[in-house]
Amino acid sequence: MLALCMIVQALLLFSLIRAESLWAFYMIAMLFGFTYEGAVPAIIMINSEFFGISSSEYIYDVTGGYSVAFLIGGMVLTVGFVLSFIIKLPKKTYLR
């Protein structure tokens, strides 16, 4: 399933080169989103098989619930949100 999602994503990205209308861009973006969400569970499963127990499973085993994992995830997202306003865009450089 992961390989299928990845090849469809690649084909969709290639099709963006030829997309000349807004509706085509939206259609490609929607299909890319579906295939991206189809790949995420497989990627998580593969990572846990390669690297062992996931951090959220460890937190569940230690604390008896997922509250701490959700709290950490929320804090990371909040930091990312704040940084998205603080970080300045790099200056554009043009090749000569």
Side-chain angles (χ1 to χ4, degrees):
M1 183 63 161
L2 178 60
L4 177 64
C5 288
M6 292 173 75
I7 192 64
V8 170
Q9 286 176 352
L11 293 172
L12 289 167
L13 287 178
F14 294 145
S15 68
L16 277 175
I17 296 169
R18 303 287 291 167
E20 296 180 1
S21 64
L22 187 59
W23 73 266
F25 173 77
Y26 284 143
M27 185 61 68
I28 292 168
M30 182 183 69
L31 292 172
F32 188 89
F34 285 138
T35 58
Y36 183 82
E37 287 303 316
V40 168
I43 292 170
I44 292 170
M45 183 183 68
I46 290 169
N47 283 341
S48 67
E49 288 179 10
F50 274 100
F51 302 110
I53 191 167
S54 73
S55 56
S56 59
E57 289 175 354
Y58 175 76
I59 290 171
Y60 182 83
D61 290 343
V62 171
T63 65
Y66 288 110
S67 297
V68 174
F70 293 147
L71 179 65
I72 292 169
M75 290 183 337
V76 169
L77 288 171
T78 302
V79 169
F81 171 77
V82 172
L83 288 176
S84 70
F85 291 105
I86 294 173
I87 295 175
K88 302 218 184 310
L89 292 173
K91 293 180 181 179
K92 291 185 179 181
T93 58
Y94 298 98
L95 297 175
R96 295 177 190 224

Coordinates of all heavy atoms in Angstrom, one line a residue:
M1 N 0.8 -1.2 0.0 CA 0.0 0.0 0.0 C 0.9 1.3 0.0 O 0.6 2.2 -0.7 CB -0.9 0.0 1.2 CG -1.9 1.1 1.3 SD -3.0 1.0 -0.1 CE -4.3 2.0 0.4
L2 N 2.0 1.2 0.8 CA 2.8 2.4 0.8 C 3.5 2.7 -0.5 O 3.5 3.8 -1.0 CB 4.0 2.2 1.9 CG 5.0 3.3 2.0 CD1 4.3 4.6 2.4 CD2 6.0 2.9 3.0
A3 N 3.9 1.6 -1.2 CA 4.5 1.8 -2.5 C 3.5 2.4 -3.5 O 3.8 3.3 -4.3 CB 5.1 0.5 -3.1
L4 N 2.3 1.9 -3.5 CA 1.2 2.5 -4.3 C 1.0 4.0 -4.1 O 0.9 4.8 -5.0 CB -0.1 1.7 -4.2 CG -1.3 2.2 -5.0 CD1 -1.0 2.0 -6.5 CD2 -2.5 1.4 -4.6
C5 N 0.9 4.3 -2.8 CA 0.7 5.7 -2.4 C 1.8 6.6 -2.9 O 1.6 7.7 -3.4 CB 0.5 5.9 -0.9 SG -1.1 5.2 -0.3
M6 N 3.1 6.1 -2.7 CA 4.2 6.8 -3.1 C 4.3 7.1 -4.6 O 4.6 8.2 -5.1 CB 5.5 6.2 -2.6 CG 5.6 6.2 -1.1 SD 7.0 5.2 -0.5 CE 8.3 6.2 -0.9
I7 N 4.0 6.0 -5.4 CA 4.0 6.2 -6.9 C 2.9 7.1 -7.4 O 3.1 8.0 -8.3 CB 4.0 4.9 -7.7 CG1 4.4 5.1 -9.1 CG2 2.7 4.2 -7.5 CD1 5.8 5.6 -9.4
V8 N 1.7 7.1 -6.7 CA 0.6 8.0 -7.1 C 1.0 9.4 -6.8 O 0.8 10.3 -7.5 CB -0.7 7.5 -6.5 CG1 -1.8 8.6 -6.6 CG2 -1.2 6.2 -7.0
Q9 N 1.6 9.6 -5.6 CA 2.1 10.9 -5.2 C 3.1 11.5 -6.2 O 3.0 12.6 -6.6 CB 2.7 10.9 -3.8 CG 1.7 10.8 -2.7 CD 2.3 10.6 -1.4 OE1 3.5 10.5 -1.2 NE2 1.5 10.7 -0.3
A10 N 4.0 10.6 -6.6 CA 5.0 11.1 -7.6 C 4.4 11.5 -8.9 O 4.7 12.5 -9.5 CB 6.0 10.0 -7.9
L11 N 3.4 10.7 -9.4 CA 2.7 11.0 -10.6 C 1.9 12.3 -10.5 O 1.8 13.1 -11.4 CB 1.8 9.8 -11.0 CG 2.5 8.5 -11.5 CD1 1.5 7.4 -11.7 CD2 3.4 8.8 -12.7
L12 N 1.3 12.5 -9.3 CA 0.5 13.7 -9.1 C 1.5 14.9 -9.1 O 1.1 16.0 -9.7 CB -0.3 13.6 -7.8 CG -1.4 12.7 -7.9 CD1 -2.0 12.4 -6.5 CD2 -2.5 13.2 -8.8
L13 N 2.6 14.8 -8.5 CA 3.6 15.9 -8.5 C 4.0 16.2 -9.9 O 4.2 17.4 -10.3 CB 4.8 15.6 -7.6 CG 4.5 15.7 -6.1 CD1 5.7 15.3 -5.3 CD2 4.0 17.1 -5.7
F14 N 4.3 15.2 -10.7 CA 4.7 15.4 -12.1 C 3.5 16.1 -12.9 O 3.8 16.9 -13.8 CB 5.0 14.1 -12.8 CG 6.3 13.4 -12.2 CD1 6.4 12.1 -12.2 CD2 7.4 14.2 -11.8 CE1 7.5 11.4 -11.7 CE2 8.5 13.6 -11.3 CZ 8.6 12.2 -11.2
S15 N 2.3 15.7 -12.6 CA 1.2 16.3 -13.3 C 1.0 17.8 -13.0 O 0.3 18.5 -13.7 CB -0.1 15.5 -13.0 OG -0.5 15.7 -11.7
L16 N 1.5 18.2 -11.8 CA 1.5 19.7 -11.5 C 2.2 20.5 -12.6 O 1.8 21.7 -12.8 CB 2.1 20.0 -10.1 CG 1.2 19.7 -9.0 CD1 1.9 19.9 -7.7 CD2 -0.1 20.6 -9.0
I17 N 3.2 19.9 -13.2 CA 3.9 20.7 -14.3 C 2.9 21.1 -15.4 O 3.1 22.2 -15.9 CB 5.0 19.8 -14.8 CG1 6.1 19.5 -13.7 CG2 5.7 20.5 -16.0 CD1 7.1 18.5 -14.0
R18 N 2.0 20.3 -15.7 CA 1.1 20.5 -16.8 C -0.3 21.2 -16.3 O -1.1 21.5 -17.2 CB 0.7 19.2 -17.5 CG 2.0 18.5 -18.1 CD 2.6 19.1 -19.2 NE 1.7 19.0 -20.4 CZ 1.8 19.7 -21.5 NH1 2.8 20.5 -21.6 NH2 1.0 19.5 -22.4
A19 N -0.5 21.3 -15.1 CA -1.7 21.9 -14.6 C -1.8 23.4 -14.9 O -0.9 24.1 -14.5 CB -1.9 21.7 -13.1
E20 N -2.8 23.8 -15.7 CA -2.9 25.2 -16.1 C -4.1 25.9 -15.5 O -4.2 27.1 -15.8 CB -2.8 25.2 -17.6 CG -1.5 24.7 -18.2 CD -1.5 24.8 -19.7 OE1 -2.5 25.2 -20.3 OE2 -0.5 24.4 -20.3
S21 N -4.9 25.2 -14.8 CA -6.1 25.8 -14.3 C -6.2 25.6 -12.8 O -5.6 24.7 -12.2 CB -7.4 25.3 -15.0 OG -7.5 24.0 -14.7
L22 N -7.0 26.4 -12.1 CA -7.1 26.3 -10.7 C -7.8 25.0 -10.3 O -7.4 24.4 -9.3 CB -7.8 27.6 -10.1 CG -7.9 27.7 -8.6 CD1 -6.5 27.8 -8.0 CD2 -8.7 28.9 -8.2
W23 N -8.8 24.6 -11.0 CA -9.5 23.4 -10.7 C -8.6 22.2 -10.8 O -8.7 21.3 -10.0 CB -10.8 23.2 -11.5 CG -10.6 22.9 -12.9 CD1 -10.5 23.7 -14.0 CD2 -10.4 21.5 -13.4 NE1 -10.2 23.0 -15.1 CE2 -10.2 21.6 -14.8 CE3 -10.4 20.3 -12.8 CZ2 -10.0 20.5 -15.6 CZ3 -10.1 19.2 -13.6 CH2 -9.9 19.3 -15.0
A24 N -7.7 22.2 -11.7 CA -6.8 21.1 -11.9 C -5.8 21.0 -10.7 O -5.5 20.0 -10.2 CB -6.0 21.2 -13.2
F25 N -5.4 22.2 -10.3 CA -4.5 22.2 -9.1 C -5.2 21.7 -7.9 O -4.7 20.9 -7.1 CB -4.0 23.7 -8.8 CG -3.3 23.8 -7.6 CD1 -2.0 23.4 -7.5 CD2 -3.9 24.4 -6.4 CE1 -1.3 23.5 -6.3 CE2 -3.2 24.5 -5.3 CZ -1.9 24.1 -5.2
Y26 N -6.5 22.1 -7.7 CA -7.3 21.6 -6.5 C -7.5 20.1 -6.6 O -7.4 19.4 -5.6 CB -8.6 22.4 -6.4 CG -8.5 23.8 -5.9 CD1 -9.3 24.8 -6.4 CD2 -7.6 24.1 -4.9 CE1 -9.2 26.1 -5.9 CE2 -7.5 25.4 -4.4 CZ -8.3 26.4 -4.9 OH -8.2 27.6 -4.4
M27 N -7.8 19.6 -7.8 CA -8.0 18.2 -7.9 C -6.7 17.4 -7.6 O -6.8 16.4 -6.9 CB -8.5 17.9 -9.3 CG -8.8 16.4 -9.6 SD -10.2 15.8 -8.5 CE -11.5 16.8 -9.2
I28 N -5.6 17.9 -8.1 CA -4.3 17.2 -7.8 C -4.0 17.3 -6.3 O -3.6 16.3 -5.7 CB -3.2 17.8 -8.6 CG1 -3.4 17.5 -10.1 CG2 -1.8 17.4 -8.2 CD1 -2.5 18.3 -11.1
A29 N -4.2 18.5 -5.7 CA -4.0 18.6 -4.3 C -4.9 17.7 -3.4 O -4.4 17.1 -2.5 CB -4.2 20.1 -3.9
M30 N -6.1 17.6 -3.8 CA -7.0 16.7 -3.1 C -6.6 15.2 -3.2 O -6.5 14.5 -2.2 CB -8.4 16.8 -3.6 CG -9.5 16.0 -2.9 SD -11.1 16.1 -3.6 CE -10.8 15.2 -5.2
L31 N -6.2 14.8 -4.4 CA -5.8 13.4 -4.6 C -4.5 13.2 -3.9 O -4.2 12.1 -3.3 CB -5.6 13.1 -6.1 CG -7.0 13.0 -6.9 CD1 -6.7 12.9 -8.3 CD2 -7.8 11.9 -6.4
F32 N -3.6 14.2 -3.9 CA -2.3 14.0 -3.2 C -2.6 13.9 -1.7 O -1.9 13.1 -1.0 CB -1.4 15.2 -3.4 CG 0.0 15.1 -2.9 CD1 1.0 14.5 -3.6 CD2 0.3 15.5 -1.6 CE1 2.3 14.3 -3.1 CE2 1.6 15.4 -1.1 CZ 2.5 14.8 -1.9
G33 N -3.5 14.6 -1.2 CA -3.9 14.5 0.3 C -4.4 13.2 0.6 O -4.0 12.6 1.7
F34 N -5.2 12.6 -0.2 CA -5.8 11.3 0.1 C -4.6 10.2 0.1 O -4.6 9.4 1.0 CB -6.8 10.8 -1.0 CG -8.1 11.5 -0.8 CD1 -8.8 12.0 -1.9 CD2 -8.7 11.7 0.4 CE1 -10.0 12.6 -1.8 CE2 -9.9 12.3 0.6 CZ -10.6 12.7 -0.5
T35 N -3.7 10.3 -0.9 CA -2.6 9.3 -0.9 C -1.6 9.6 0.2 O -1.1 8.6 0.7 CB -1.9 9.3 -2.3 OG1 -1.4 10.7 -2.5 CG2 -2.8 8.9 -3.4
Y36 N -1.5 10.8 0.6 CA -0.6 11.1 1.8 C -1.1 10.5 3.0 O -0.4 9.9 3.8 CB -0.4 12.6 1.9 CG 0.5 13.0 3.0 CD1 1.9 13.0 2.8 CD2 0.1 13.4 4.3 CE1 2.8 13.4 3.8 CE2 0.9 13.7 5.3 CZ 2.3 13.7 5.1 OH 3.2 14.0 6.1
E37 N -2.4 10.7 3.2 CA -3.0 10.1 4.4 C -3.1 8.6 4.4 O -3.1 7.9 5.4 CB -4.5 10.6 4.6 CG -4.5 12.1 5.1 CD -3.7 12.3 6.4 OE1 -3.8 11.5 7.3 OE2 -3.0 13.3 6.5
G38 N -3.1 8.0 3.2 CA -3.0 6.6 3.1 C -1.6 6.0 3.4 O -1.5 4.9 3.8
A39 N -0.6 6.9 3.2 CA 0.8 6.4 3.5 C 1.2 6.6 4.9 O 2.1 5.8 5.4 CB 1.7 7.2 2.6
V40 N 0.6 7.5 5.6 CA 1.0 7.8 7.0 C 0.9 6.6 7.9 O 1.9 6.3 8.6 CB 0.2 9.0 7.6 CG1 0.4 9.2 9.1 CG2 0.6 10.3 6.9
P41 N -0.2 5.9 8.0 CA -0.2 4.7 8.9 C 0.9 3.7 8.6 O 1.5 3.1 9.5 CB -1.6 4.1 8.7 CG -2.4 5.2 8.2 CD -1.5 6.1 7.4
A42 N 1.2 3.5 7.3 CA 2.2 2.5 6.9 C 3.6 3.0 7.3 O 4.4 2.2 7.8 CB 2.2 2.3 5.4
I43 N 3.8 4.3 7.2 CA 5.1 4.9 7.6 C 5.3 4.7 9.1 O 6.4 4.3 9.6 CB 5.2 6.3 7.2 CG1 5.3 6.4 5.6 CG2 6.4 7.0 7.8 CD1 5.2 7.8 5.1
I44 N 4.3 5.0 9.9 CA 4.4 4.8 11.3 C 4.6 3.4 11.7 O 5.5 3.1 12.6 CB 3.1 5.4 12.0 CG1 3.0 6.9 11.8 CG2 3.0 5.0 13.5 CD1 1.6 7.5 12.2
M45 N 3.9 2.5 11.0 CA 4.1 1.0 11.3 C 5.6 0.6 11.0 O 6.2 -0.1 11.8 CB 3.1 0.2 10.5 CG 3.2 -1.3 10.8 SD 2.1 -2.3 9.8 CE 2.9 -2.1 8.2
I46 N 6.1 1.0 9.8 CA 7.4 0.7 9.4 C 8.5 1.3 10.4 O 9.4 0.6 10.8 CB 7.7 1.1 8.0 CG1 6.9 0.3 7.0 CG2 9.2 1.1 7.7 CD1 6.8 0.8 5.6
N47 N 8.3 2.5 10.8 CA 9.2 3.1 11.8 C 9.2 2.4 13.1 O 10.3 2.1 13.7 CB 8.8 4.6 12.0 CG 9.2 5.5 10.9 OD1 10.1 5.1 10.1 ND2 8.6 6.6 10.8
S48 N 8.0 1.9 13.6 CA 8.0 1.2 14.8 C 8.7 -0.2 14.7 O 9.3 -0.7 15.6 CB 6.6 1.1 15.4 OG 5.8 0.3 14.5
E49 N 8.5 -0.8 13.5 CA 9.2 -2.1 13.3 C 10.7 -1.9 13.2 O 11.5 -2.8 13.7 CB 8.7 -2.7 12.0 CG 7.2 -3.3 12.2 CD 6.7 -3.9 10.9 OE1 7.5 -4.1 10.0 OE2 5.5 -4.2 10.9
F50 N 11.2 -0.9 12.6 CA 12.6 -0.6 12.5 C 13.3 -0.2 13.8 O 14.4 -0.6 14.2 CB 12.9 0.4 11.4 CG 13.0 -0.2 10.0 CD1 12.0 -0.1 9.2 CD2 14.2 -0.9 9.6 CE1 12.1 -0.7 7.9 CE2 14.3 -1.5 8.4 CZ 13.2 -1.3 7.5
F51 N 12.6 0.7 14.5 CA 13.2 1.4 15.7 C 12.6 0.9 17.0 O 12.9 1.5 18.0 CB 13.0 2.9 15.5 CG 13.7 3.4 14.3 CD1 12.9 3.9 13.2 CD2 15.1 3.4 14.2 CE1 13.5 4.4 12.1 CE2 15.7 3.8 13.0 CZ 14.9 4.3 12.0
G52 N 11.7 -0.1 17.0 CA 11.2 -0.6 18.3 C 9.9 0.2 18.7 O 9.2 0.8 17.9
I53 N 9.7 0.1 20.0 CA 8.5 0.6 20.6 C 8.4 2.1 20.4 O 9.4 2.8 20.4 CB 8.5 0.3 22.1 CG1 7.1 0.7 22.7 CG2 9.6 1.0 22.8 CD1 6.9 0.1 24.1
S54 N 7.2 2.6 20.0 CA 7.1 4.1 19.8 C 7.1 4.8 21.1 O 6.8 4.3 22.1 CB 5.8 4.3 19.0 OG 4.7 4.2 19.8
S55 N 7.3 6.1 21.0 CA 7.4 6.9 22.2 C 6.0 7.0 22.8 O 5.9 7.0 24.1 CB 7.9 8.3 21.9 OG 7.1 8.9 20.8
S56 N 4.9 7.1 22.1 CA 3.6 7.1 22.7 C 3.3 5.8 23.4 O 2.6 5.8 24.4 CB 2.5 7.5 21.6 OG 2.5 6.5 20.6
E57 N 3.7 4.7 22.9 CA 3.5 3.4 23.6 C 4.3 3.4 24.9 O 3.8 2.9 25.9 CB 3.9 2.2 22.7 CG 3.0 2.0 21.5 CD 3.4 0.9 20.6 OE1 4.6 0.4 20.8 OE2 2.7 0.5 19.7
Y58 N 5.5 3.9 24.8 CA 6.3 4.0 26.0 C 5.6 4.9 27.1 O 5.5 4.5 28.3 CB 7.7 4.5 25.7 CG 8.6 4.7 26.9 CD1 9.1 3.6 27.6 CD2 8.8 6.0 27.5 CE1 9.9 3.8 28.7 CE2 9.5 6.1 28.6 CZ 10.1 5.0 29.2 OH 10.9 5.2 30.3
I59 N 5.1 6.0 26.6 CA 4.4 6.9 27.6 C 3.2 6.2 28.2 O 2.9 6.4 29.3 CB 4.1 8.3 26.9 CG1 5.4 9.0 26.6 CG2 3.1 9.1 27.7 CD1 5.2 10.3 25.7
Y60 N 2.5 5.5 27.3 CA 1.3 4.8 27.8 C 1.7 3.8 28.9 O 1.0 3.6 29.9 CB 0.5 4.1 26.7 CG -0.7 3.4 27.1 CD1 -1.9 4.1 27.3 CD2 -0.7 2.0 27.4 CE1 -3.0 3.5 27.7 CE2 -1.8 1.4 27.8 CZ -3.0 2.1 28.0 OH -4.1 1.5 28.4
D61 N 2.8 3.0 28.6 CA 3.2 2.0 29.5 C 3.6 2.6 30.9 O 3.4 2.0 31.9 CB 4.4 1.2 28.9 CG 3.9 0.3 27.8 OD1 2.7 0.0 27.7 OD2 4.8 -0.2 27.0
V62 N 4.3 3.8 30.8 CA 4.8 4.4 32.0 C 3.7 5.1 32.8 O 3.6 5.0 34.0 CB 5.9 5.4 31.7 CG1 6.3 6.2 32.9 CG2 7.1 4.6 31.2
T63 N 2.8 5.8 32.1 CA 1.8 6.7 32.8 C 0.4 6.1 32.8 O -0.5 6.5 33.6 CB 1.7 8.0 32.1 OG1 1.2 7.8 30.8 CG2 3.0 8.8 32.0
G64 N 0.1 5.0 32.0 CA -1.2 4.4 32.0 C -2.2 5.1 31.2 O -3.4 4.8 31.3
G65 N -1.8 6.0 30.3 CA -2.7 6.8 29.5 C -1.9 7.5 28.4 O -0.7 7.5 28.4
Y66 N -2.7 8.1 27.5 CA -2.1 8.9 26.4 C -2.1 10.4 26.7 O -1.7 11.2 25.8 CB -2.8 8.6 25.1 CG -2.6 7.2 24.6 CD1 -3.6 6.3 24.6 CD2 -1.4 6.9 24.0 CE1 -3.4 5.0 24.0 CE2 -1.1 5.6 23.5 CZ -2.1 4.7 23.5 OH -1.9 3.4 23.0
S67 N -2.5 10.8 27.8 CA -2.6 12.3 28.1 C -1.3 13.0 27.9 O -1.2 14.1 27.4 CB -3.2 12.5 29.5 OG -4.5 12.0 29.6
V68 N -0.2 12.4 28.4 CA 1.1 13.0 28.3 C 1.6 13.1 26.9 O 2.1 14.1 26.4 CB 2.1 12.2 29.2 CG1 3.5 12.8 29.0 CG2 1.7 12.3 30.7
A69 N 1.3 12.0 26.1 CA 1.7 12.0 24.7 C 0.9 13.1 23.9 O 1.5 13.8 23.1 CB 1.4 10.7 24.0
F70 N -0.4 13.3 24.2 CA -1.2 14.4 23.6 C -0.7 15.7 24.1 O -0.6 16.7 23.3 CB -2.6 14.2 24.0 CG -3.3 13.0 23.4 CD1 -4.3 12.4 24.0 CD2 -2.9 12.5 22.1 CE1 -4.9 11.3 23.5 CE2 -3.5 11.4 21.6 CZ -4.5 10.8 22.3
L71 N -0.3 15.8 25.3 CA 0.3 17.1 25.8 C 1.6 17.5 25.1 O 1.7 18.6 24.7 CB 0.5 17.0 27.4 CG 1.0 18.2 28.0 CD1 0.1 19.4 27.9 CD2 1.4 18.0 29.5
I72 N 2.5 16.5 25.0 CA 3.7 16.8 24.3 C 3.5 17.1 22.8 O 4.1 18.1 22.3 CB 4.7 15.5 24.4 CG1 5.1 15.4 25.9 CG2 5.9 15.7 23.5 CD1 5.8 14.0 26.2
G73 N 2.6 16.4 22.2 CA 2.3 16.7 20.8 C 1.7 18.1 20.6 O 2.0 18.8 19.7
G74 N 0.8 18.5 21.5 CA 0.2 19.8 21.5 C 1.2 20.9 21.7 O 1.2 21.9 21.1
M75 N 2.2 20.6 22.6 CA 3.2 21.6 22.9 C 4.1 21.8 21.7 O 4.5 22.9 21.3 CB 4.0 21.2 24.1 CG 3.3 21.3 25.4 SD 4.1 21.0 27.0 CE 5.4 20.0 26.6
V76 N 4.5 20.7 21.0 CA 5.3 20.7 19.8 C 4.6 21.5 18.7 O 5.2 22.4 18.1 CB 5.7 19.3 19.3 CG1 6.4 19.4 18.0 CG2 6.7 18.7 20.3
L77 N 3.3 21.3 18.5 CA 2.6 22.0 17.5 C 2.5 23.5 17.9 O 2.6 24.3 17.0 CB 1.2 21.4 17.4 CG 1.1 20.0 16.7 CD1 -0.2 19.4 16.8 CD2 1.6 20.2 15.2
T78 N 2.3 23.8 19.1 CA 2.3 25.2 19.6 C 3.6 25.9 19.3 O 3.6 27.0 18.8 CB 1.9 25.3 21.1 OG1 0.6 24.6 21.3 CG2 1.8 26.7 21.5
V79 N 4.7 25.2 19.6 CA 6.0 25.8 19.3 C 6.2 26.1 17.8 O 6.6 27.1 17.4 CB 7.2 24.9 19.9 CG1 8.5 25.4 19.3 CG2 7.1 24.9 21.4
G80 N 5.7 25.1 17.0 CA 5.8 25.3 15.6 C 4.9 26.4 15.1 O 5.3 27.2 14.2
F81 N 3.8 26.6 15.7 CA 2.9 27.7 15.4 C 3.6 29.0 15.7 O 3.6 29.9 14.8 CB 1.6 27.6 16.1 CG 0.7 28.8 16.1 CD1 -0.1 29.0 14.9 CD2 0.6 29.7 17.1 CE1 -0.9 30.1 14.8 CE2 -0.2 30.8 17.0 CZ -1.0 31.0 15.9
V82 N 4.2 29.2 16.8 CA 4.8 30.4 17.2 C 6.0 30.7 16.3 O 6.2 31.8 15.8 CB 5.3 30.4 18.7 CG1 6.1 31.5 19.1 CG2 4.0 30.3 19.6
L83 N 6.8 29.6 16.0 CA 8.0 29.8 15.2 C 7.6 30.2 13.8 O 8.4 30.9 13.1 CB 8.8 28.5 15.1 CG 9.6 28.2 16.4 CD1 10.3 26.8 16.3 CD2 10.6 29.3 16.8
S84 N 6.4 29.8 13.3 CA 6.0 30.2 12.0 C 5.8 31.7 11.8 O 5.9 32.2 10.7 CB 4.7 29.5 11.6 OG 3.6 29.9 12.3
F85 N 5.6 32.4 12.9 CA 5.5 33.9 12.9 C 6.8 34.5 13.2 O 7.0 35.7 12.8 CB 4.5 34.3 13.9 CG 3.1 33.9 13.5 CD1 2.4 32.9 14.2 CD2 2.4 34.6 12.5 CE1 1.1 32.6 13.8 CE2 1.1 34.3 12.1 CZ 0.5 33.2 12.8
I86 N 7.7 33.9 13.9 CA 9.0 34.5 14.3 C 10.1 34.3 13.2 O 10.8 35.3 12.9 CB 9.5 33.8 15.6 CG1 8.5 34.2 16.7 CG2 10.9 34.3 15.9 CD1 8.9 33.4 18.0
I87 N 10.1 33.2 12.6 CA 11.2 32.9 11.6 C 11.0 33.8 10.4 O 9.9 33.9 9.8 CB 11.2 31.4 11.2 CG1 11.6 30.6 12.4 CG2 12.1 31.2 10.0 CD1 11.5 29.1 12.2
K88 N 12.0 34.4 9.9 CA 11.9 35.3 8.8 C 12.3 34.5 7.5 O 13.1 33.6 7.5 CB 12.9 36.5 8.9 CG 12.7 37.3 10.2 CD 12.9 38.7 10.0 CE 12.8 39.6 11.2 NZ 11.7 39.5 12.0
L89 N 11.7 34.9 6.4 CA 12.0 34.3 5.1 C 13.4 34.6 4.7 O 13.8 35.8 4.9 CB 11.0 34.7 4.1 CG 9.5 34.3 4.2 CD1 8.6 34.9 3.2 CD2 9.5 32.8 4.1
P90 N 14.1 33.7 4.1 CA 15.4 34.0 3.6 C 15.3 35.0 2.4 O 14.4 35.1 1.7 CB 16.0 32.7 3.1 CG 14.8 31.8 2.9 CD 13.7 32.3 3.8
K91 N 16.4 35.8 2.3 CA 16.4 36.7 1.2 C 16.6 36.0 -0.1 O 17.4 35.0 -0.1 CB 17.6 37.7 1.4 CG 17.4 38.7 2.5 CD 18.6 39.6 2.6 CE 18.4 40.5 3.8 NZ 19.5 41.5 4.0
K92 N 15.9 36.4 -1.2 CA 16.1 35.7 -2.4 C 17.4 36.1 -3.1 O 17.8 37.2 -3.1 CB 14.9 36.1 -3.4 CG 13.6 35.6 -2.9 CD 12.5 36.0 -3.9 CE 11.2 35.4 -3.5 NZ 10.2 35.7 -4.5
T93 N 18.0 35.0 -3.6 CA 19.3 35.2 -4.3 C 19.1 34.7 -5.7 O 18.4 33.7 -5.9 CB 20.5 34.5 -3.6 OG1 20.1 33.1 -3.6 CG2 20.7 35.0 -2.2
Y94 N 19.5 35.5 -6.6 CA 19.4 35.1 -8.0 C 20.7 34.7 -8.6 O 21.7 35.3 -8.4 CB 18.8 36.3 -8.8 CG 17.4 36.7 -8.3 CD1 17.3 37.8 -7.4 CD2 16.3 36.0 -8.7 CE1 16.1 38.2 -7.0 CE2 15.1 36.4 -8.2 CZ 15.0 37.5 -7.4 OH 13.7 37.9 -6.9
L95 N 20.6 33.6 -9.4 CA 21.8 33.1 -10.0 C 22.1 33.9 -11.3 O 21.2 34.3 -12.0 CB 21.7 31.6 -10.4 CG 21.5 30.7 -9.2 CD1 21.2 29.3 -9.8 CD2 22.7 30.6 -8.3
R96 N 23.3 34.2 -11.5 CA 23.6 35.0 -12.7 C 24.2 34.1 -13.8 O 24.7 33.1 -13.7 CB 24.7 36.1 -12.4 CG 24.1 37.0 -11.4 CD 25.1 38.0 -11.0 NE 24.6 38.8 -9.9 CZ 24.7 40.1 -9.9 NH1 25.3 40.8 -10.8 NH2 24.2 40.8 -8.9

